Amino acid sequence: MSDHRVRRLAGWSVLAGCFVLGFFHRFAPATFADSLSTSLNASGAELGALASWHFWIYTVAQIPAGLLVDRYGSRICVAVGSMVTAAGSLVLSGAHGLAAGSAGPVLTGAGLSVVFVGIMKYNADWFRPETYGAITGVTMLLAAAGAVVAGSPAAWLLEHFSWRQLFAAVALIGLVLSLGVAVAVRDRPPGAPAASAGAGPGGRAGLVAALRCREMWPLLLATMGTNGVFYAFAGLWGVPLLTETRGLSNTSAAVYTTAALVTYGVGCLVIGLWSDRAGRRKPFLLATSAMALAGWTGLAVLPWTAGWQGVLLYVLLGAAASQVTVSFAALRESVSPAVAATALAVLNAGVFATSAALQPLFGWVADSGAGWTTALSLMAGTSALGLLGAFRSTETWPRGLAADGGRVVPDRPDPREAGAAHGRL
């Protein structure tokens, strides 16, 4: 293996490790819901509000994070962000009240905001444009492993350790990874133009350039309808739905969310490879948006039972959420590399704003007389809007590729990529 490939893999590996921890923090509250509620003396709505702090702070910090990564590069931003995330995990592990506990998700949300844009920027700078969907899929697959660990494995660990001990251990892992980022990550390949990484316009100019991308807004709506609702549900309410309405134990209910998250991770990889191979993006956006609407409608109105019916509906939602790989790839193909991180941050911010709003709202509706059916209908309605966004999206065609009789052939290279691909394999 060449020195270039070793360097690329080393940097990507530690960044992916930080991303994995981010997904653990995002989905762990669903498994630890009963323990957190008891330890912090929180109601369903209060627990939803606590978990949503992660999403709100993450959302608010996304655009500044994108600007910072475009300006200063992935290495320094992700190293600092991972340290902040570790601090948040440690704070939560020692909290004994709702106010103190909320500080943990605040810090993890702030720290992880730069991890997402950092690794996506790194992928764009170190890998060929026509493989961006595939490498994004691999990245999301590994990140989903963190969500999977937050499901059934975390439920099993919770039978042997306290939730405080688990969060303290995760904090230690995060600190080690932050040091790994500082040592192993480089912002751009040797010989690549400085403009391809760590030298974006920054500030207002970079944000305005990203916001002017018309293709972003339908993609944002579509991804809100698949991932925004899925993150909110799998991150908190997927387990309580089964324990409170179907009488399952916490450990048994976690199997359902684990199945959805495994499907999500594998789907991210498959859809990334498939859309790259097909040289298309929009058909995959449409199909996954339709799957999300079908899954949420089924949970809300069908007389499904615990067992294969429930698992099938959860898996359908996980498969639909794999759309995020295509959304990121389509947006990356629609903007200048100089503002790629900022544009991705804007899209991600919208998705997590949806999750942040839905988590406490879902809990409030479920606690009220309206009940679980109405709460699930909120998810179905959001997915219906997402399907509309998918219909309005524009086919971007993977850069340098086009579909031709089922084969992928070189076509229409993007002049913005000229020179930026130097040093990438």
Side-chain angles (χ1 to χ4, degrees):
M1 186 179 292
S2 68
D3 180 67
H4 170 79
R5 291 184 177 181
V6 170
R7 185 176 299 178
R8 180 178 65 182
L9 180 60
W12 179 84
S13 296
V14 289
L15 289 171
C18 297
F19 205 28
V20 167
L21 278 193
F23 270 63
F24 175 87
H25 283 293
R26 196 160 294 150
F27 292 99
T31 301
F32 297 162
D34 289 342
S35 298
L36 286 169
S37 180
T38 300
S39 297
L40 303 180
N41 193 27
S43 66
E46 289 172 334
L47 187 61
L50 181 145
S52 72
W53 273 116
H54 173 97
F55 290 96
W56 279 121
I57 299 301
Y58 183 92
T59 299
V60 171
Q62 272 295 282
I63 294 175
L67 295 169
L68 286 171
V69 172
D70 273 331
R71 184 68 176 173
Y72 298 108
S74 299
R75 178 172 174 258
I76 186 171
C77 291
V78 176
V80 173
S82 294
M83 287 185 181
V84 174
T85 301
S89 187
L90 190 62
V91 166
L92 180 58
S93 72
H96 292 281
L98 193 63
S102 297
V106 167
L107 289 171
T108 59
L112 289 168
S113 64
V114 294
V115 173
F116 163 75
V117 289
I119 193 168
M120 292 301 168
K121 179 72 169 175
Y122 184 90
N123 289 349
D125 290 324
W126 280 82
F127 294 90
R128 293 196 310 265
E130 63 268 25
T131 63
Y132 189 76
I135 191 59
T136 300
V138 173
T139 302
M140 297 304 297
L141 170 62
L142 291 180
V148 170
V149 171
S152 292
W156 178 82
L157 288 171
L158 199 55
E159 296 177 355
H160 300 82
F161 304 94
S162 73
W163 68 269
R164 298 183 186 279
Q165 291 173 318
L166 295 177
F167 273 106
V170 170
L172 179 60
I173 295 171
L175 178 60
V176 172
L177 284 170
S178 69
L179 296 176
V181 170
V183 171
V185 172
R186 295 296 179 268
D187 290 323
R188 56 184 179 270
S196 70
R204 181 180 177 183
L207 179 58
V208 170
L211 293 176
R212 284 179 175 173
C213 177
R214 295 180 180 179
E215 290 85 352
M216 178 173 62
W217 303 107
L219 290 172
L220 172 57
L221 193 59
T223 316
M224 288 166 56
T226 54
N227 291 79
V229 289
F230 179 71
Y231 291 162
F233 184 70
L236 183 59
W237 298 115
V239 170
L241 171 66
L242 294 164
T243 58
E244 295 188 23
T245 70
R246 299 301 188 271
L248 298 184
S249 68
N250 191 68
T251 302
S252 297
V255 173
Y256 289 67
T257 55
T258 299
L261 291 165
V262 168
T263 303
Y264 163 68
V266 174
C268 284
L269 174 59
V270 171
I271 200 172
L273 293 169
W274 194 358
S275 64
D276 278 351
R277 175 64 182 168
R280 300 290 301 278
R281 303 300 189 200
K282 186 169 182 176
F284 297 92
L285 294 169
L286 288 169
T288 48
S289 292
M291 290 164 61
L293 179 57
W296 289 114
T297 302
L299 281 178
V301 304
L302 292 180
W304 57 277
T305 59
W308 71 267
Q309 293 177 343
V311 170
L312 180 62
L313 289 170
Y314 272 58
V315 164
L316 187 61
L317 297 178
S322 67
Q323 180 196 85
V324 68
T325 298
V326 178
S327 298
F328 288 155
L331 182 59
R332 174 65 183 86
E333 292 153 5
S334 303
V335 299
S336 165
V339 295
T342 303
L344 289 167
V346 172
L347 174 63
N348 211 37
V351 171
F352 280 92
T354 302
S355 297
L358 285 175
Q359 276 195 335
L361 182 60
F362 190 104
W364 179 81
V365 172
D367 281 346
S368 71
W372 290 92
T373 297
T374 304
L376 290 166
S377 297
L378 290 173
M379 307 301 213
T382 306
S383 291
L385 292 175
L387 182 57
L388 177 62
F391 273 112
R392 296 296 301 273
S393 66
T394 301
E395 180 61 74
T396 59
W397 308 96
R399 288 299 178 203
L401 299 177
D404 180 17
R407 297 180 296 107
V408 178
V409 297
D411 182 44
R412 298 175 300 170
D414 184 358
R416 294 175 305 184
E417 301 286 355
H422 179 74
R424 288 182 290 186
L425 295 179

